[in-house]
Amino acid sequence: MSSEVRIESPAKDTYVLRNTSGRELQHVMVDLARTGATSQDLPAGMTLVPEEGVEFHLHHHGGYSPPASMHVRWDGGPEWVEVPVA
């Protein structure tokens, strides 16, 4: 679990990736391949200042359940961090 980013789910298929680190995170990415969904607005290489959040949507097909967690990475961080969806 990461204390540097959080993933919120305020509505069905809507998610917010939030920087909770207290410092700027660069080249932030979510690994779409591990979600089992599709997205056109997934965070891929963006910069997030402290407390900034970016909204994105996952589209689930064929009765697929929403993910309980997603894998995120950023420059200066671990390779991939599994982040639970809150």
Side-chain angles (χ1 to χ4, degrees), residues 4-8 16-20 48 51-53:
E4 297 185 279
V5 294
R6 178 175 66 224
I7 298 176
E8 306 158 1
V16 176
L17 174 63
R18 187 168 310 281
N19 176 353
T20 56
L48 294 175
E51 297 307 316
E52 180 180 14

Side-chain angles (χ1 to χ4, degrees), residues 4 19 21-28 46-52 74-75:
E4 297 185 279
N19 176 353
S21 71
R23 62 185 175 84
E24 184 176 276
L25 299 179
Q26 297 180 347
H27 303 287
V28 180
M46 63 185 356
T47 297
L48 294 175
V49 298
E51 297 307 316
E52 180 180 14
W74 56 91
D75 282 355

Side-chain angles (χ1 to χ4, degrees), residues 23-43:
R23 62 185 175 84
E24 184 176 276
L25 299 179
Q26 297 180 347
H27 303 287
V28 180
M29 301 178 69
V30 174
D31 186 0
L32 181 63
R34 297 187 205 194
T35 66
T38 59
S39 177
Q40 294 180 351
D41 53 1
L42 195 71

Side-chain angles (χ1 to χ4, degrees), residues 7 29-32 34-35 69-73 80-83:
I7 298 176
M29 301 178 69
V30 174
D31 186 0
L32 181 63
R34 297 187 205 194
T35 66
S69 64
M70 295 182 208
H71 289 81
V72 182
R73 72 177 178 189
W80 287 103
V81 175
E82 186 173 2
V83 179

